Amino acid sequence: MRVKMVLLGSAIGLCLAAGSASAAAERHGWYVGLEAGWVHVNDAELPLWTYNQIQFENRWGALGTVGFAFNGNWRLEFEAGYRNNDVHSIFDGRSLTFPNDGELSEWTGFFNALYDQPITNKWAIDFGVGVGVDDVRFDDNLGNEDADAVLALQGIVGLTYRVASHWD
């Protein structure tokens, strides 16, 4: 099952960074991070079940990262994530159904490479790419379920603000 998904930023980002800071000279060492945000899933279709259009509600996602920041603004990290969207409606070409408790959930694991470009001593822009696995599970609560694990790629753009030493 292929579902296009856009994670529009991490609305609430808290990066607990041991040895990590926005200034390039101080950003080095191991770090951990926690993020949460808004998840939007584009309309999808499942021809096997004659679903011409499935609409999803906007919901939430959460990510955790463990990585290493090198001198020179580069970072390598592992990211694990969970996203959940309820099914809003299903159109099968004849009728519109509003399933109760139908959902799309995703567990992801990525290896990311990022470059942090300092703007000021407090602000930086982060650019990166990642490759990993997306384990997608769909249940319409009408008797149909499907799951698939697929290769996933991601582009990363972020804005980092240094709150204090070792806290971004």
Side-chain angles (χ1 to χ4, degrees), residues 14-79:
L14 176 62
C15 181
L16 305 169
S20 173
S22 293
E26 296 181 42
R27 183 169 216 157
H28 61 278
W30 290 99
Y31 65 89
V32 296
L34 299 172
E35 302 173 32
W38 172 73
V39 178
H40 170 79
V41 176
N42 293 330
D43 293 353
E45 60 182 50
L46 286 171
L48 181 63
W49 299 339
T50 67
Y51 289 175
N52 294 345
Q53 183 180 40
I54 305 168
Q55 291 184 335
F56 299 94
E57 295 179 6
N58 296 329
R59 294 278 317 271
W60 59 275
L63 305 171
T65 57
V66 174
F68 189 84
F70 299 92
N71 286 330
N73 303 9
W74 286 97
R75 293 186 286 139
L76 293 177
E77 67 182 21
F78 174 74
E79 167 194 304

Side-chain angles (χ1 to χ4, degrees), residues 91-114:
F91 181 66
D92 65 4
R94 298 180 312 264
S95 62
L96 187 63
T97 305
F98 297 91
N100 186 23
D101 295 329
E103 71 176 8
L104 174 74
S105 61
E106 296 179 81
W107 289 94
T108 58
F110 282 93
F111 288 100
N112 300 323
L114 297 109

